[in-house]
Amino acid sequence: MTMIEGLNIEYVHVKGNTFEAKMNLNAFHGQIVGMLNGGATVAFGEITAGMASNQLIDENHIAVGQTIIANHLKGKKNEGYIKAYGELLHKGRTTHVWSIRMIDDKACLICQMSVTNGIIMKKKDGQE
Amino acid sequence: MTMIEGLNIEYVHVKGNTFEAKMNLNAFHGQIVGMLNGGATVAFGEITAGMASNQLIDENHIAVGQTIIANHLKGKKNEGYIKAYGELLHKGRTTHVWSIRMIDDKACLICQMSVTNGIIMKKKDGQE
Amino acid sequence: MTMIEGLNIEYVHVKGNTFEAKMNLNAFHGQIVGMLNGGATVAFGEITAGMASNQLIDENHIAVGQTIIANHLKGKKNEGYIKAYGELLHKGRTTHVWSIRMIDDKACLICQMSVTNGIIMKKKDGQE
Amino acid sequence: MTMIEGLNIEYVHVKGNTFEAKMNLNAFHGQIVGMLNGGATVAFGEITAGMASNQLIDENHIAVGQTIIANHLKGKKNEGYIKAYGELLHKGRTTHVWSIRMIDDKACLICQMSVTNGIIMKKKDGQE
């Protein structure tokens, strides 16, 4: 199993300059104390923002995560789900800037993220 | 398998106000294109900074990730390992601020992170 | 003249968990090329978020800037004004987390900021 | 007086992939409580990182601040000076990533910054 598979992302829907994604929580996402592992939340944001950027660019380019920022706002028990609501604040030729709100199944804002993706030509091994 | 298990962190050594940690890469960390998934790198940093903070506080308190910042600097093929070198820039009563450098098996700096942990009383469900 | 005076902030209105502030631009805010100096935008956000937090806590405490994050999204000619719209994402006992949008006089989003203020007892010289 | 003049930056020396800069504090940098205004520190970092990037690129390009991150680590009385020590972590074609340590006249680390500059063609009005 890869980490992306384990994260159990149900969908990523891109609509205009926004996206919505859903991650269903299970044992994979937990910590010893029964709480959601914050690292899973951040990975969810980074990965879905990358998927969303890739749907907004042509086939010769690829989005790579450049700057990832997360403010964890509230702990969450490791059950239920999280939805990510992304808004593309900047759609440049070389960078996309996403603002993402993570809302849990109790409608609670648990995390605010900002993800800057670099938009690079394909075939390059990595960033820039 | 949990995400923390899957990340395959070999060790986290805390020494004074620094830590060193190692993550051995395997299929879990990969993306379709054969590259390391940046989300795995960030999760590695957040989780090990939390472990390190927990070793530096008393048993009535626990460290929770508050602000996570990652600058991905270079792509990496999904093979070999990454080492994280953390430096505790601020050791306050209510927050720890870590600066972390991620170096790969080719001695290349692939990611610079900053992790602020909130230090809270145990038994509270989550942050603050 | 102090920097805060030079920034020429017309007002900071706090309403519930939000604030609105306005900064009128003049020669002080400029760079050689006739553009707004990004440093002025960031200082505007950090300072007004501090003022807003101070209005939301009791007199024995004071807010100090802890983590400041700014994504500059668009350049702006150094004329007219900027408004800051702050939203308090987290109001904890020891930290406030603000998300702030900077909108210029053409209704353009020029900068997205996140400001985490530490809330500390007065009489302490600085942070924590 | 412009903000850049008021900041009273004595020098910015670029050497290889590092820079050192010095800001001498006076009434301009203060807050009511006699402390250094954190916004001045952040502006100092953003402006000097931009100057340093401009010395590392050709004349057809210009550096514009893209992502500014500051962790304030310790309060400082508004007297003496601050030195900024920048290290260029990534020197790409379209972005520069600087890590900057702000050290005061008592050799105390007061702020850790990360500044990502976009490198763009001149004559464009602003970022990207």
Side-chain angles (χ1 to χ4, degrees):
Chain A
M1 184 176 66
T2 66
M3 182 169 127
I4 295 175
E5 290 165 352
L7 284 174
N8 204 23
I9 299 171
E10 187 179 324
Y11 60 75
V12 184
H13 295 319
V14 180
K15 192 173 175 183
N17 284 341
T18 65
F19 75 83
E20 180 182 329
K22 189 180 177 200
M23 178 169 78
N24 295 304
L25 305 181
N26 57 36
F28 181 83
H29 306 78
Q31 299 188 92
I32 293 168
V33 286
M35 302 297 287
L36 168 62
N37 179 345
T41 306
V42 179
F44 175 44
E46 175 169 354
I47 290 165
T48 53
M51 291 175 173
S53 281
N54 279 327
Q55 292 194 29
L56 297 173
I57 54 180
D58 65 56
E59 292 191 347
N60 298 319
H61 289 82
I62 191 167
V64 293
Q66 201 173 80
T67 309
I68 315 300
I69 298 166
N71 285 301
H72 291 300
L73 301 169
K74 212 163 161 41
K76 166 158 176 56
K77 283 193 183 164
N78 188 38
E79 59 185 28
Y81 61 83
I82 299 177
K83 286 190 180 175
Y85 295 90
E87 180 186 0
L88 189 57
L89 299 184
H90 177 67
K91 189 182 178 182
R93 194 175 46 82
T94 58
T95 56
H96 285 185
V97 180
W98 291 96
S99 176
I100 309 170
R101 302 208 163 194
M102 301 286 184
I103 314 281
D104 74 7
D105 46 293
K106 270 100 180 164
C108 185
L109 176 64
I110 62 164
C111 186
Q112 162 74 35
M113 289 187 66
S114 162
V115 174
T116 302
N117 289 320
I119 309 300
I120 62 172
M121 294 291 290
K122 270 187 185 169
K123 298 283 178 195
K124 292 191 66 173
D125 285 344
Q127 281 140 300
E128 289 220 351
Chain B
M1 184 176 66
T2 67
M3 182 170 129
I4 295 175
E5 290 164 353
L7 285 174
N8 204 24
I9 299 171
E10 187 180 324
Y11 60 76
V12 184
H13 295 319
V14 179
K15 192 175 175 182
N17 284 341
T18 66
F19 76 82
E20 179 182 329
K22 188 180 176 200
M23 178 169 78
N24 296 302
L25 306 181
N26 57 36
F28 181 83
H29 306 79
Q31 299 189 92
I32 294 168
V33 287
M35 302 296 288
L36 168 62
N37 179 344
T41 306
V42 179
F44 174 45
E46 175 168 355
I47 290 165
T48 53
M51 290 173 174
S53 280
N54 280 326
Q55 291 193 30
L56 296 173
I57 53 180
D58 66 55
E59 293 192 347
N60 298 318
H61 289 82
I62 191 167
V64 293
Q66 202 174 77
T67 310
I68 314 300
I69 299 165
N71 287 301
H72 291 301
L73 301 169
K74 211 162 162 42
K76 168 162 174 52
K77 283 193 183 164
N78 188 39
E79 59 186 26
Y81 61 82
I82 299 177
K83 285 190 180 175
Y85 295 89
E87 180 187 0
L88 189 57
L89 299 184
H90 178 67
K91 188 181 177 182
R93 195 175 46 81
T94 58
T95 55
H96 285 186
V97 180
W98 291 95
S99 176
I100 309 170
R101 300 206 163 195
M102 301 288 186
I103 313 280
D104 73 7
D105 45 295
K106 270 101 181 164
C108 185
L109 177 64
I110 63 164
C111 186
Q112 162 74 35
M113 288 187 65
S114 162
V115 174
T116 301
N117 289 321
I119 308 301
I120 61 171
M121 294 291 289
K122 270 186 185 171
K123 297 283 178 193
K124 292 191 66 173
D125 286 344
Q127 281 140 299
E128 290 220 349
Chain C
M1 184 175 68
T2 67
M3 182 170 128
I4 295 175
E5 290 164 353
L7 285 173
N8 204 21
I9 299 172
E10 186 179 325
Y11 60 76
V12 184
H13 295 319
V14 179
K15 192 174 175 183
N17 285 341
T18 66
F19 76 82
E20 180 182 329
K22 187 180 178 200
M23 178 169 77
N24 296 303
L25 306 181
N26 57 36
F28 182 83
H29 306 78
Q31 299 189 92
I32 294 168
V33 288
M35 302 297 287
L36 168 62
N37 179 343
T41 306
V42 178
F44 174 45
E46 175 168 355
I47 290 165
T48 53
M51 290 173 174
S53 281
N54 280 327
Q55 292 193 28
L56 297 172
I57 54 180
D58 66 54
E59 292 191 346
N60 298 319
H61 289 81
I62 191 167
V64 292
Q66 201 172 80
T67 310
I68 316 299
I69 299 165
N71 286 301
H72 291 300
L73 302 168
K74 209 161 164 43
K76 166 158 176 57
K77 283 193 183 164
N78 188 39
E79 59 185 27
Y81 62 82
I82 299 176
K83 286 190 180 175
Y85 295 90
E87 181 186 359
L88 189 57
L89 298 183
H90 177 66
K91 189 182 177 181
R93 194 175 45 80
T94 58
T95 56
H96 285 186
V97 181
W98 292 95
S99 176
I100 309 170
R101 302 208 162 193
M102 301 288 184
I103 313 281
D104 73 7
D105 46 295
K106 269 103 182 160
C108 185
L109 176 64
I110 63 163
C111 186
Q112 162 74 36
M113 290 187 65
S114 162
V115 174
T116 302
N117 289 321
I119 309 300
I120 61 171
M121 294 292 288
K122 270 186 186 173
K123 298 281 179 197
K124 294 190 66 173
D125 285 344
Q127 281 141 300
E128 288 221 352
Chain D
M1 185 175 67
T2 67
M3 182 169 128
I4 295 175
E5 289 165 351
L7 285 174
N8 204 24
I9 299 172
E10 186 180 325
Y11 60 76
V12 184
H13 295 318
V14 180
K15 192 173 174 182
N17 284 340
T18 66
F19 76 81
E20 180 182 328
K22 187 179 177 201
M23 178 168 77
N24 296 303
L25 306 181
N26 56 37
F28 182 83
H29 306 78
Q31 299 188 90
I32 293 169
V33 287
M35 302 297 288
L36 167 63
N37 179 344
T41 307
V42 178
F44 175 45
E46 175 169 355
I47 289 165
T48 53
M51 290 174 175
S53 281
N54 280 326
Q55 292 193 28
L56 297 172
I57 54 180
D58 65 54
E59 292 192 346
N60 299 318
H61 289 82
I62 192 167
V64 293
Q66 201 173 80
T67 310
I68 315 299
I69 299 166
N71 286 301
H72 291 301
L73 301 169
K74 209 160 163 45
K76 166 158 177 55
K77 284 193 183 164
N78 187 40
E79 58 185 26
Y81 61 81
I82 300 176
K83 286 190 180 174
Y85 295 89
E87 182 186 358
L88 188 58
L89 299 183
H90 178 67
K91 189 182 176 181
R93 195 176 45 81
T94 58
T95 56
H96 285 186
V97 181
W98 291 94
S99 176
I100 308 170
R101 301 208 164 194
M102 300 289 184
I103 313 282
D104 73 7
D105 46 295
K106 269 104 182 160
C108 185
L109 177 64
I110 63 163
C111 186
Q112 162 74 35
M113 290 187 65
S114 162
V115 174
T116 302
N117 289 320
I119 309 300
I120 61 171
M121 294 292 288
K122 270 186 186 171
K123 298 282 178 195
K124 293 189 65 172
D125 286 344
Q127 282 141 298
E128 289 218 351

